[in-house]
Amino acid sequence: MADSSRGRTLIHSLQRRAAESPDAPALLHSIGGSWLALSWAEVHRASDEMAAGLLSLGLPLGARVALLSRSRLEWVLADLGILKSGCCTVPLHANAL
């Protein structure tokens, strides 16, 4: 059986899920004992905004972008935005804060 995801990137999969199930929960994050759910459409939109911000800085394709965040939710959204912009993530350890 052929793998239907062959040749697709993480970003293509995100775009497909956002189109197929925009309101379905994609990410769950605990804040002070309560849960915040972000839908596929919200994740797609937030990562698009990050990518647009990076592209507006004139970063070339393949540029390395340092990523430092204590929030796992912010980290995931930023990482997706960096990938969408055509750049690559350089994760920095949270102890650097």
Side-chain angles (χ1 to χ4, degrees):
M1 179 158 76
D3 181 1
S4 64
S5 65
R6 184 171 288 156
R8 290 191 180 168
T9 66
L10 175 64
I11 300 307
H12 289 122
S13 296
L14 170 62
Q15 292 167 337
R16 189 188 82 238
R17 286 298 302 239
E20 292 174 354
S21 307
D23 298 325
L27 293 174
L28 296 173
H29 183 68
S30 176
I31 300 175
S34 62
W35 289 93
L36 167 70
L38 289 181
S39 69
W40 286 104
E42 290 170 320
V43 170
H44 186 46
R45 188 171 28 257
S47 57
D48 275 351
E49 289 173 8
M50 170 63 80
L54 291 170
L55 292 171
S56 74
L57 296 173
L59 294 176
L61 187 65
R64 293 175 292 229
V65 178
L67 179 53
L68 175 65
S69 175
R70 288 188 190 264
S71 167
R72 290 183 178 106
L73 179 63
E74 288 174 357
W75 201 98
V76 169
L77 297 174
D79 187 41
L80 290 170
I82 292 167
L83 292 173
K84 282 183 174 186
S85 73
C87 296
C88 63
T89 302
V90 178
L92 301 178
H93 197 280
N95 287 345
L97 286 176

